[in-house]
Amino acid sequence: MLMHLRRINPLGFRPSICYSLKLFSTLLPNPSAVPETLPSTPDPTEPLTKPQLELLVLRQYSHGKFFNLVQNVVALPAVLLTACQNLTTPRPNNALNPPDSSSLLHSVSKRFDIADMGRELCENRFDVKACCVTMLPSRKEGESFVLPNLKLKVLIEAIRMVLEIVYDERFVTFSYGGRVGMGRHTAFRYLKKSVENPSWWFNVSFDREMFENRHVNRLCLFIEEKINDRILINIINTLFECEVVGIELGGCYLGRGFPQESGLSSIFINIYFNGFDKEIQDKRLRKNQENLKFDPNELVSTTGVFYKPVKIYVVRYLDEVLVITSGSKVLTMDLKNWVVNYLEGRLEFKVDRMKTAIHSAVSENINFLGMELQAVTPSVLHPPMTEKAIRARKKYLRQKEVRTLELKNARERNRKKLGLKIFQHVFKKLKQCDGFKFEFQIENEVQKIFRSWADEVVQDFLGSLEERWEWHRKLTAGDFLTLRHIRDQLPQELVDAYDKFQEQIYKHLSPAKARKELEKEERRVEEEEELKYANRTVEDLTRLCMKVDAPIELVRKAVKMAGFTNSMGRPRPIKLLIALEDTDIIKWYAGVGRRWLDFFCCCHNFKMVKTVVTYHLRFSCILTLAEKHESTKREAMKHYTKDLKVSDLDGNEEVYFPTEREVKMMGDKNLSDPKPVDGTLSLALIRLASDEPSCSCIAHFCDQMTTVFYRVRLLQNCLNVNPSDQEKWIPGMGAIHESLNRKCLPLCSDHVSDLYMGKITLQDIDCTSFVDED
């Protein structure tokens, strides 16, 4: 079916390339070398490195504050070009080699002029409202929301880079989210490695509310404590007034890659909470100083008493706060009251006091960042091997030794066969040249050499065991010299020499020594096992660790709601995806599966998540492909194999879905900040047939003209479910704003593949350049 589409271009600007190079055009003396000192005005045609940008920002520091950051830093074309480079979505074939500055500048100049933008920022004439696009909902009862166009996204990214340099080193160590190397997995790694003997904990739950004027004013006051720049404050106020930047506390969209989240949301939250973080950090340090100072190992060895110091642990990921104590419940209650009063009084937030309750760390689970936390003994996290497992391991080691010996014997046998062939060839040549007598002598000599060579392997293997037994039997058989009447008739020197000889025999050849060595080894192993058991028991009685589990019930509910399984929990096809190409269907399933695996790889019950991906998602994909081609599941598995292999245009097989071996080898080896599965699971892109002329891809600064139109279909609209209804929706699972439903997006093949696979999100494309229906 053909659709008549109308392109919406909010920019409508086509400046020349040369004009953008006229402003701030001071070239470096040696562009090929990386300068250790930055000139007063950087090269406007080259993006800045991070050290260069830090040096540029630090130049504006004086008397404890940063001055005029917008005019002196943000407005520079080199800084704006660096922001464009950060927003650029690399294509798979050049992901390792990002585009050079000339191609990037050419791509940017086709959309807007960096020089004019920098001049507008310097003169405080930049119109933020003109760069905002209102997205209307697809249904009458829906809500609209405002998105920034690509030009405003560049400004937001430039401000974020500058604020990150100013504040990142000033944030406390337990502040996670929106920071480089400080993501979800890093937070859980800290909880599992550093938190010891937790007794009570609570997480702060906020009522769902947007940042209002009082919050924005307080945020500007916090920024003015470190930055003296009225233009920056005016831009921040305008961004909040236009609703381009909106922060909703208690929501489920921060840090998930949704288009309604601004690039400045994370750093604004960290700046707003920075005072609270420092106050509670001071409380932690004071509590640590109150603890007694001594060596705990020395105390245990001398008195047998175990000392557990009282500590306070805090982890904050954006607007989610978790507080853990290893002290009494009274201490935890006082700390909770202080936290609630500070958040409600100083920061003017609304805290849900009913949900902000204290829980026992041992007997109750607590939800944090989509995971379930509980304090358990070390033996729960690292259980000892069962007797069955020990027997299986010993059996495996024996089989391994046997296989090694068989390979060794096979190599020796092959060597002997090769030597025999060589000698036979020599015999054949000698028979043709010499007489019978010489031939007979040579043959006998060679056979003797071969027999001695063939017996070496047997002697080496059996000599160490059988030879000792044979010599012991020969030397001790007929031991008549032990009889008294025989010993009396022999010279004393001969008897003494015989006794010494027998002592040496029993010392070196008797099997009793080997038996004693074996018994000694068995006793050593038993003592080690008893020592391990004692240490494990003491550790279980004196220590508690953190266990992080994935919410399996919520994962199963999400699998059922998305249509991967039926009411019986068995895989089923998703008919909405039948309109896609085979490769796109597999990529969509692969994106959901990899997102789940990357997000939950730090969990203790990661095997259960692997089962969901390996069984439910894999066979749901196979059934969807079988439904599309009107075939059976067996025929689809025979064609695509169990690893869901597809062939490209050149006939090369490609695998997008994680294989069973790849899933089996996955583990907690990642310290990144993975995006949850929400954006990939609730989004489907349906390819459309259109007679509209080709247009450029709407991914950030992508110049590909070979594009295809895709219609956005959101899960909540397909199911007619309100995401705010926790009974019908998945608790803690976010959703893309409904105004993007049924919008048409022109995308190139590379970026639509990345969007299916979950490598990029809707934040990485310019959603304001959508195509509307007629």
Side-chain angles (χ1 to χ4, degrees), residues 202-420:
F202 65 92
N203 58 349
V204 181
S205 178
F206 297 99
D207 292 335
R208 297 193 66 169
E209 63 171 341
M210 296 295 296
F211 251 46
E212 299 178 355
N213 290 333
R214 66 179 189 275
H215 300 118
V216 177
N217 294 334
R218 188 173 293 273
L219 173 64
C220 293
L221 291 177
F222 292 155
I223 294 177
E224 287 177 344
E225 293 177 359
K226 188 57 61 178
I227 301 175
N228 188 357
D229 191 346
R230 292 306 308 169
I231 299 179
L232 176 62
I233 300 301
N234 293 335
I235 292 176
I236 293 175
N237 284 319
T238 308
L239 290 175
F240 278 99
E241 289 176 4
C242 298
E243 299 181 356
V244 174
V245 177
I247 300 175
E248 181 185 8
L249 295 178
C252 298
Y253 72 91
L254 291 176
R256 299 172 186 261
F258 293 158
Q260 57 263 38
E261 179 187 3
S262 172
L264 289 173
S265 300
S266 300
I267 195 164
F268 280 167
I269 290 178
N270 289 331
I271 294 173
Y272 200 90
F273 277 90
N274 192 35
F276 166 77
D277 296 341
K278 291 183 177 180
E279 289 285 343
I280 202 167
Q281 176 73 354
D282 293 339
K283 284 184 172 293
R284 293 181 60 200
L285 295 177
R286 287 196 298 269
K287 181 58 65 176
N288 290 337
Q289 292 174 359
E290 294 175 2
N291 295 324
L292 300 178
K293 306 298 182 183
F294 53 82
D295 188 4
N297 296 327
E298 181 180 355
L299 180 65
V300 173
S301 60
T302 55
T303 63
V305 177
F306 292 89
Y307 174 69
K308 297 181 181 180
V310 179
K311 291 187 177 182
I312 299 174
Y313 305 94
V314 182
V315 174
R316 183 184 63 80
Y317 185 91
L318 299 181
D319 62 336
E320 298 189 45
V321 183
L322 175 66
V323 182
I324 307 172
T325 65
S326 60
S328 62
K329 189 174 183 179
V330 177
L331 171 66
T332 311
M333 291 177 63
D334 295 339
L335 185 60
K336 190 200 89 167
N337 294 332
W338 178 88
V339 169
V340 173
N341 293 333
Y342 189 97
L343 294 175
E344 290 183 341
R346 298 284 297 275
L347 301 184
E348 300 183 10
F349 289 147
K350 295 180 181 179
V351 179
D352 190 344
R353 293 177 177 264
M354 294 296 294
K355 295 182 179 180
T356 308
I358 298 176
H359 300 274
S360 172
V362 179
S363 58
E364 296 179 86
N365 293 343
I366 193 169
N367 295 324
F368 182 67
L369 296 182
M371 309 288 185
E372 295 179 354
L373 307 181
Q374 188 178 10
V376 295
T377 57
S379 61
V380 176
L381 295 178
H382 307 286
M385 295 180 64
T386 60
E387 294 183 359
K388 183 178 180 181
I390 294 174
R391 291 195 301 269
R393 182 173 179 79
K394 290 182 178 179
K395 181 180 179 181
Y396 168 74
L397 293 177
R398 289 196 300 268
Q399 293 176 350
K400 186 177 179 181
E401 292 177 358
V402 171
R403 286 194 296 268
T404 303
L405 183 60
E406 289 177 352
L407 290 175
K408 181 180 178 181
N409 294 339
R411 287 193 296 268
E412 294 294 335
R413 184 171 59 252
N414 293 335
R415 291 193 190 101
K416 288 186 286 187
K417 289 182 178 179
L418 180 61
L420 183 59

Side-chain angles (χ1 to χ4, degrees), residues 171 254 289 299 520 539 601 684 702:
F171 292 145
L254 291 176
Q289 292 174 359
L299 180 65
K520 184 178 179 181
E539 196 174 28
C601 69
C702 179

Side-chain angles (χ1 to χ4, degrees), residues 137-148:
S138 58
R139 57 190 181 94
K140 295 181 179 180
E141 299 82 4
E143 299 179 356
S144 61
F145 83 114
V146 181
L147 281 179

Side-chain angles (χ1 to χ4, degrees), residues 723-736:
S724 60
D725 188 358
Q726 296 297 326
E727 295 183 359
K728 296 182 179 180
W729 194 252
I730 308 300
M733 177 176 167
I736 301 172

